[in-house]
Amino acid sequence: RVFEKIHSEKELSEASLVYSFGMFYQGNKPFVVDLVDVPFSLTGNSYELFVKNKKVVENYISRENCKKILCPNETAFDFMKNNFNEKVGNKLTMVRQAISPIKYTPNKEKFNKKHKIKILFMGSINNPEDFYMKGGLEAICALKKLEKKYDVEFIMRCKLPLRVKEFIGKNKNIRLIEEEIPFEEIIRLYSSSDILLMPYHQYIIMVTLEGMYFGLPMVTINSYGVKDYLKNNYNAFLVEPSDELKKYYKNPSYPNIIRSKKFIKYVWSFDEEIINGLAEKVKLLIENPLLRKKMGENGKEIIRKKFSIEVRNKALKQIFDNIIHKKH
């Protein structure tokens, strides 16, 4: 039931405007709805429910008191524009996700040629199966190719499925962190690492922003929404999907399909084209400290211009002020 209430908080009578974060607001006050991540967030992050209830959703966001629909990126904006009527299209506006300032001390030794390269992978410590969706198996396979030639440390902060643990065995180059750790330790992981290897099959917002914030060049797959955050050969290397992988990316229910058993079976087929592509791009970064530094600086500049909390708050304030002032 699309309109089933998730929360039962009482609405403040003195509120002039309601900000609805990824869910339906059913009252009569003026409101804006934030899509949070993907448009499917309005229907329990389910593509099937979205298709089934598309007209219901359209009627809801066409209501007069729905003033704005906030899209987190270009991909979501285009999806909404192409799937709904002109009235909905006129309400769309871009308000990007943002990262708050984090204090840390940059490690200048990272760009010394004798420095041992640390490659970071950030996954989920709550759901081991997310490991596949985030490209963890492809990352491990790329590492296996790299460690034949390079002395690198691969840090994986995530819980691994048992099958993956058996696949890895006892690898001295992999440091696995499966337990909950303080945010201060996460900061140290980012600041001490050299490369963020996240070949995810759907962009992961906070890891992407955090990686850029800490000046880490990134290696990933050119999948859903990635180009809205990362620029190929500028702050990241985007490996193009193979023809086999494109079949999944072209599925109407993508990116939801990447959590399916069918997709996980594909991951275990070891797509050599993807694995070789990832290994080749990481190799370039390992061998070129100046390239790592330049791409990291480019990422930090993108954060300052597009994804800082100041930029986001300014955009939200302008939207809220315009709606409230227009009302009065």
Side-chain angles (χ1 to χ4, degrees):
R1 292 184 300 171
V2 175
F3 288 100
E4 183 176 356
K5 289 188 178 180
I6 300 174
H7 295 291
S8 59
E9 290 97 344
K10 291 183 179 179
E11 185 179 286
L12 294 175
S13 58
E14 65 269 27
S16 301
L17 177 67
V18 173
Y19 171 72
S20 179
F21 191 66
M23 65 180 71
F24 289 106
Y25 163 70
Q26 299 179 62
N28 297 315
K29 289 183 179 293
F31 73 96
V32 299
V33 60
D34 192 331
L35 296 183
V36 187
D37 190 349
V38 295
F40 311 144
S41 65
L42 293 175
T43 52
N45 284 318
S46 166
Y47 175 78
E48 289 73 20
L49 282 176
F50 181 86
V51 172
K52 184 178 179 180
N53 295 283
K54 182 178 172 181
K55 196 63 185 176
V56 179
V57 173
E58 183 171 72
N59 290 339
Y60 165 75
I61 53 182
S62 295
R63 289 165 53 188
E64 189 59 37
N65 63 326
C66 177
K67 301 301 181 182
K68 287 288 181 184
I69 302 162
L70 311 185
C71 300
N73 51 47
E74 289 85 351
T75 301
F77 187 98
D78 292 343
F79 181 93
M80 296 295 289
K81 194 84 173 176
N82 295 332
N83 278 274
F84 292 108
N85 60 33
E86 185 178 356
K87 188 173 183 179
V88 170
N90 292 335
K91 297 180 181 184
L92 300 176
T93 189
M94 189 91 71
V95 179
R96 303 180 191 279
Q97 298 99 332
I99 185 168
S100 299
I102 302 170
K103 289 185 179 181
Y104 75 101
T105 303
N107 182 2
K108 295 180 181 179
E109 294 298 315
K110 291 200 301 183
F111 306 108
N112 186 320
K113 287 190 176 182
K114 294 182 180 180
H115 167 74
K116 183 173 182 176
I117 299 296
K118 293 183 179 180
I119 302 169
L120 180 63
F121 175 88
M122 298 290 281
S124 171
I125 61 167
N126 298 313
N127 185 2
E129 295 303 309
D130 272 4
F131 182 79
Y132 300 113
M133 180 264 286
K134 294 178 180 178
L137 194 58
E138 290 92 333
I140 289 173
C141 291
L143 171 74
K144 283 180 174 290
K145 290 181 176 293
L146 292 164
E147 65 184 0
K148 295 175 183 178
K149 182 178 179 181
Y150 304 101
D151 182 22
V152 296
E153 182 181 8
F154 190 37
I155 305 166
M156 306 190 77
R157 194 256 173 177
C158 59
K159 267 199 170 69
L160 296 183
L162 181 59
R163 187 181 178 190
V164 176
K165 287 185 178 181
E166 293 171 350
F167 173 71
I168 294 173
K170 293 182 179 180
N171 189 316
K172 62 181 178 60
N173 294 320
I174 295 179
R175 176 155 69 99
L176 181 61
I177 304 172
E178 291 190 286
E179 70 277 6
E180 191 77 59
I181 57 176
F183 187 63
E184 291 75 17
E185 181 59 28
I186 292 176
I187 292 174
R188 281 192 286 272
L189 285 179
Y190 277 118
S191 61
S192 64
S193 296
D194 301 278
I195 300 165
L196 186 60
L197 177 56
M198 291 294 299
Y200 33 63
H201 298 286
Q202 175 192 348
Y203 70 92
I204 311 301
I205 302 167
M206 286 315 298
V207 172
T208 301
L209 297 185
E210 287 168 353
M212 293 164 66
Y213 186 92
F214 285 93
L216 296 181
M218 299 178 64
V219 178
T220 188
I221 298 173
N222 187 12
S223 60
Y224 179 92
V226 167
K227 282 189 175 179
D228 299 341
Y229 302 85
L230 304 176
K231 186 176 179 182
N232 193 33
N233 298 321
Y234 185 73
N235 68 322
F237 284 126
L238 308 185
V239 175
E240 288 301 314
S242 63
D243 289 340
E244 188 63 32
L245 184 53
K246 283 178 183 176
K247 294 176 184 177
Y248 290 93
Y249 287 0
K250 290 178 180 179
N251 188 295
S253 64
Y254 174 73
N256 292 60
I257 194 175
I258 59 179
R259 295 183 185 274
S260 68
K261 290 181 179 179
K262 183 179 179 181
F263 185 78
I264 292 174
K265 184 179 179 181
Y266 154 74
V267 169
W268 276 101
S269 72
F270 301 110
D271 190 324
E272 284 295 318
E273 187 176 340
I274 288 295
I275 293 166
N276 289 335
L278 294 169
E280 186 62 31
K281 295 306 182 183
V282 174
K283 175 186 171 183
L284 289 175
L285 292 170
I286 290 174
E287 295 182 347
N288 195 330
L290 292 179
L291 179 62
R292 294 200 307 270
K293 185 175 182 181
K294 180 60 179 174
M295 292 179 76
E297 289 172 346
N298 290 342
K300 289 195 281 188
E301 183 64 19
I302 291 174
I303 287 289
R304 285 192 290 270
K305 289 182 177 180
K306 293 174 67 173
F307 300 106
S308 71
I309 199 70
E310 291 82 7
V311 171
R312 177 177 171 84
N313 286 346
K314 183 178 179 181
L316 286 173
K317 184 178 186 304
Q318 185 174 2
I319 290 168
F320 295 160
D321 285 348
N322 287 344
I323 293 172
I324 292 170
H325 292 155
K326 193 175 289 186
K327 178 185 174 185
H328 294 295

